[in-house]
Amino acid sequence: MNGHVLVLNQDYSALTVCSVERAVVMMHLRKVHLVEAAEDQYVRSPSVELPWPRIVRLKQYANVPYKRVMLSRKNVLKRDRNTCQYCGAQSNLTIDHVVPKSRGGRDTWENLVAACVTCNNQKGDSTPEEANMELARQPFRPSYVMFLRDFAGEIDDAWKPYLFLS
């Protein structure tokens, strides 16, 4: 059951992305309505045949006060597409503080970037300007929709209206 399913809140706003297996369980427990299914694909058991879900909607509204992407090492690497922001390498990645912690740099989205071990060591306890190193792009706080979109890799065309991409 490979694949991802877009989960919408009761008001049709994008909430999260889950596995097909999780979506089928929620359908079986009658916690969600099926919004869109894949053509000619089904999840079968000896006694039940369910459509293969692409988009489901919660039956009850889930109150999510403010959707934020949690700051974590994994999410910083995901935002930076697992690429060193100084040289473009995609292996041996660490997290670098643009403004070093020793100089008051904080653990924020705007101050953390993915960097390979070599570039991180070369930059050391200096700013990128002092080390004559240029960032590929300035670090930023990602939007929730951006993370939903990037989590699944390739976006299903049926999801685009719900992710404001159509």
Side-chain angles (χ1 to χ4, degrees):
M1 281 204 249
N2 293 335
H4 293 97
V5 178
L6 179 64
V7 180
L8 304 174
N9 212 337
Q10 189 181 27
D11 65 356
Y12 287 90
S13 61
L15 194 60
T16 191
V17 175
C18 73
S19 66
V20 171
E21 183 178 359
R22 175 85 175 120
V24 167
V25 168
M26 289 190 298
M27 286 169 48
H28 183 72
L29 296 174
R30 301 185 194 282
K31 293 182 182 250
V32 295
H33 293 288
L34 181 65
V35 174
E36 187 151 337
E39 286 185 32
D40 301 326
Q41 282 188 295
Y42 299 93
V43 177
R44 293 183 175 92
S45 76
S47 60
V48 178
E49 179 178 276
L50 295 171
W52 189 278
R54 290 168 66 185
I55 303 172
V56 295
R57 180 178 67 95
L58 295 179
K59 284 188 174 182
Q60 288 194 328
Y61 184 79
N63 188 18
V64 183
Y66 179 63
K67 296 179 201 166
R68 290 187 350 177
V69 179
M70 190 174 77
L71 178 63
S72 68
R73 179 182 192 282
K74 177 180 160 186
N75 287 343
V76 169
L77 292 173
K78 191 185 294 186
R79 177 201 64 192
D80 293 341
R81 297 184 181 105
N82 290 310
T83 303
C84 175
Q85 295 301 292
Y86 297 109
C87 72
Q90 294 187 320
S91 61
N92 297 325
L93 294 177
T94 62
I95 300 298
D96 178 51
H97 288 79
V98 177
V99 176
K101 286 181 105 172
S102 63
R103 296 188 184 190
R106 300 182 57 205
D107 292 337
T108 63
W109 281 107
E110 295 78 12
N111 193 45
L112 296 174
V113 294
C116 66
V117 172
T118 305
C119 288
N120 205 347
N121 288 336
Q122 180 182 339
K123 181 178 164 284
D125 195 24
S126 56
T127 64
E129 294 80 25
E130 294 169 350
N132 285 331
M133 298 173 76
E134 193 173 319
L135 283 167
R137 65 178 180 173
Q138 286 299 313
F140 61 95
R141 175 183 293 276
S143 72
Y144 186 74
V145 171
M146 175 189 158
F147 257 69
L148 282 179
R149 183 187 67 216
D150 293 346
F151 173 77
E154 191 174 311
I155 295 294
D156 190 330
D157 285 336
W159 294 12
K160 290 181 179 180
Y162 302 101
L163 298 178
F164 309 110
L165 297 174
S166 57

